[in-house]
Amino acid sequence: MKYLDDLAVGERFELGSHTFQANEIKAFAKRFDPQLFHIDEAAAERSHFGALCASGWHTASVWMRLMIEFRKRLAEAERLRGEKSAGTGPAPGFKNLKWLKPVYVGDTITYSSEVIGMRFSNSRPGWGLLTTRGSGVNQRGETVLSFEGTTFLERRPGAV
């Protein structure tokens, strides 16, 4: 992972894509969001969605999994180059979570993260706060998920 000092507002990271299948939509929903339009095709057809669709929490969870996998790939590439990866700290939270379009069976969502702000921490020397906009876009180019998240990120050693 890059150090906070090495990032710039506007920098964008493609995290990967995921195609949602009926069995995983139902399994996630049965466990975490058991609304009928997520677990029963017939009920979903009668709902305002018109067909089985993924829970918004499911779409956000896939973003998180892909973000962690992205960070692991970056860290491995840095390790192979003999570089140290920046540490990441806790995430104090997120805001403006929006599920803008339903995600249906067979939809492929491409996820990304864009740097929208950063600041150095006064209370944690050597660290800063990175704010990003996470998003997911379907195969038709429609944004289905958007949110802003903030996380602690280590500064480059010796940075002032």
Side-chain angles (χ1 to χ4, degrees), residues 123-136:
S123 62
R124 293 183 75 180
W127 290 81
L129 288 162
L130 175 68
T131 302
T132 59
R133 178 176 300 107
S135 63

Side-chain angles (χ1 to χ4, degrees), residues 5 7 14 26 68 71 87 90 99 132 134 145 153:
D5 308 81
L7 295 170
E14 298 301 322
K26 291 178 191 179
I68 297 303
R71 286 180 183 170
W99 293 305
T132 59
L145 169 72
L153 184 61

Side-chain angles (χ1 to χ4, degrees), residues 7-156:
L7 295 170
V9 171
E11 196 164 351
R12 184 178 176 85
F13 305 98
E14 298 301 322
L15 306 179
S17 297
H18 180 81
T19 301
F20 286 79
Q21 302 299 332
N23 60 339
E24 70 167 305
I25 289 172
K26 291 178 191 179
F28 183 95
K30 284 177 184 174
R31 186 147 187 226
F32 300 109
D33 189 0
Q35 298 181 77
L36 288 178
F37 45 81
H38 297 319
I39 58 176
D40 181 274
E41 282 96 343
E45 285 179 20
R46 294 187 302 273
S47 77
H48 59 280
F49 293 113
L52 190 72
C53 61
S55 165
W57 296 112
H58 187 178
T59 63
S61 295
V62 172
W63 181 95
M64 189 72 225
R65 178 180 54 83
L66 291 174
M67 172 54 84
I68 297 303
E69 290 173 0
F70 174 77
R71 286 180 183 170
K72 286 179 181 179
R73 288 191 306 272
L74 285 180
E76 178 61 14
E78 290 164 340
R79 185 190 70 74
L80 290 172
R81 291 190 305 265
E83 300 170 0
K84 182 184 178 300
S85 294
T88 57
F94 65 94
K95 62 184 180 179
N96 298 324
L97 172 62
K98 297 176 184 175
W99 293 305
L100 300 162
K101 297 273 185 185
V103 173
Y104 294 106
V105 174
D107 279 352
T108 298
I109 309 304
T110 300
Y111 293 92
S112 64
S113 180
E114 179 183 359
V115 177
I116 60 171
M118 52 188 168
R119 70 175 178 83
F120 304 132
S121 174
N122 294 323
S123 62
R124 293 183 75 180
W127 290 81
L129 288 162
L130 175 68
T131 302
T132 59
R133 178 176 300 107
S135 63
V137 176
N138 67 20
Q139 68 276 7
R140 291 177 296 283
E142 302 166 322
T143 301
V144 300
L145 169 72
S146 178
F147 65 93
E148 297 170 18
T150 302
T151 191
F152 278 94
L153 184 61
E154 191 175 17
R155 294 192 64 197
R156 183 163 287 290

